[in-house]
Amino acid sequence: MLDAVDAVLVRELQRDGRATFQALADRVGLSRTAVRARVQHLLESQVVRVVGIVHAAVVGAEAIGHVSVTVDGSAREVAAVIAARPAVSFAALTAGPHDVVAQIRTRDDAALAAEVDYIRSVPGVRAAEVFRSVTTVRDTHSVVRELGEISLDDIDWRLLQELQRDGRAPYTRLANIIGLSQAATRARVVRLMRSGVIQVTGLADPHALGARELGGFGLVVTGGLRRVAEAVAEQDGVRYVATGFGRYDIVGQAEAASRAELVSVLDAIRAVPGATVRESWHHLDVVKESYAVELPDKPLNGAVRSGGH
């Protein structure tokens, strides 16, 4: 467990991965030097990783599927094979109605179907059920706001590549890479973040923050779907909510410090008018959690992207 100061620093980095050391120091009431040392330790010990997460509409990865897998034999071996797929952003071993759950992000439904077919062909997979996400209502690790039309050139793409690798890369290093002044580089990065093209955030070890339990849930809804989804997303402990089509109307994730608290989160979800928990499951081991995507070296189709969730 982190001490109180480190816990605040991690939360601040989750909110703004490029927050300056001075801003962080002001937040926790320590010197800039002390905060720099603490942040460096948090990064080096991988308690938190600061990365840039590119908006799905920018890279054409808006077809999202949540796959529930039933396994004969070793679930861990199956999960490892599934996690090796570049299109899989999340995979976990679970206790509940299924043995493995995974999230797939692809450019379109045809590509999504091909990924699911691959999962079904993995030795040991008995069945794979798909929830096709349509709207992401809450995601603590991704950009969910609407993305307006924006033009990206090859320098922007290079910045996105670097920020994916290291969200806190200094402006001096970024400027050397792209060949612009530090001021021009800063202006470009700020534009990319403010427009919603990329979100720089801290991916934290949940155990370090006391969130030792992670679970998922599938809901069916009576009444207005969006209203219920937004109400569920507002509950403490809920970190992901998506609406779509399949055996559920809503799929989500929740985290808590203990199993008792995780039960309380699920009880709060059950108390939302119009929401019924059809299934819930416990994440025993997260095998993969990655939001990096392959980016082109040069802009595609004029580099104009628009869209949103």
Side-chain angles (χ1 to χ4, degrees):
M1 284 288 292
L2 303 177
D3 66 23
V5 172
D6 282 347
V8 172
L9 289 174
V10 171
R11 294 296 188 191
E12 289 298 308
L13 290 172
Q14 288 179 313
R15 186 181 62 83
D16 178 6
R18 291 193 68 83
T20 66
F21 289 120
Q22 187 59 58
L24 295 172
D26 293 342
R27 177 69 179 83
V28 298
L30 295 179
S31 70
R32 184 174 180 274
T33 301
V35 166
R36 179 192 289 271
R38 280 179 175 261
V39 170
Q40 287 301 116
H41 176 71
L42 290 170
L43 294 172
E44 290 171 2
S45 60
Q46 296 191 327
V47 169
V48 64
R49 293 180 294 120
V50 179
V51 299
I53 300 176
V54 181
H55 197 296
V58 174
V59 293
E62 293 184 278
I64 302 174
H66 301 265
V67 186
S68 302
V69 183
T70 305
V71 173
D72 290 324
S74 172
R76 185 171 292 280
E77 291 179 5
V78 169
V81 174
I82 292 173
R85 301 292 290 179
V88 173
S89 57
F90 180 89
L93 298 166
T94 59
H98 305 283
D99 305 302
V100 177
V101 296
Q103 183 185 78
I104 302 172
R105 296 172 180 261
T106 61
R107 64 184 181 276
D108 54 32
D109 283 334
L112 179 60
E115 290 292 331
V116 175
D117 280 348
Y118 174 84
I119 289 175
R120 291 192 175 106
S121 72
V122 173
V125 171
R126 179 151 49 93
E129 298 182 5
V130 185
F131 172 88
R132 172 59 165 92
S133 173
V134 174
T135 302
T136 302
V137 179
R138 174 176 173 77
D139 188 345
T140 58
H141 295 319
S142 189
V143 183
V144 298
R145 70 185 184 188
E146 184 176 349
L147 180 67
E149 191 167 286
I150 185 170
S151 179
L152 302 177
D153 60 22
D154 56 343
I155 293 177
D156 291 324
W157 285 111
R158 187 65 188 276
L159 283 172
L160 293 177
Q161 289 175 326
E162 294 301 321
L163 291 171
Q164 272 200 146
R165 283 191 281 268
D166 179 6
R168 287 189 66 82
Y171 287 115
T172 51
R173 177 154 66 86
L174 293 174
N176 289 333
I177 290 172
I178 65 175
L180 294 180
S181 69
Q182 188 172 331
T185 301
R186 181 190 296 271
R188 289 237 182 191
V189 171
V190 170
R191 168 179 170 266
L192 291 171
M193 292 192 297
R194 287 182 176 173
S195 64
V197 169
I198 191 169
Q199 173 175 308
V200 180
T201 186
L203 300 181
D205 179 353
H207 286 187
L209 292 175
R212 297 184 178 277
E213 303 295 337
L214 183 65
F217 53 86
L219 312 179
V220 292
V221 171
T222 55
L225 178 58
R226 181 74 189 196
R227 175 188 57 78
V228 173
E230 290 176 349
V232 170
E234 291 174 357
Q235 302 305 309
D236 290 340
V238 174
R239 73 177 202 171
Y240 180 87
V241 173
T243 64
F245 302 104
R247 66 184 304 169
Y248 320 117
D249 299 311
I250 295 173
V251 158
Q253 282 187 4
E255 61 183 14
S258 66
R259 291 184 182 179
E261 288 188 19
L262 188 60
V263 170
S264 295
V265 175
L266 291 173
D267 282 347
I269 292 169
R270 291 187 182 95
V272 172
T276 299
V277 177
R278 169 166 283 179
E279 291 180 346
S280 62
W281 50 92
H282 186 213
H283 290 195
L284 301 174
D285 187 18
V286 175
V287 179
K288 179 181 183 180
E289 186 171 20
S290 173
Y291 299 92
V293 294
E294 185 175 351
L295 298 176
D297 292 322
K298 299 289 184 180
L300 304 175
N301 300 327
V304 176
R305 300 289 186 270
S306 62
H309 294 286

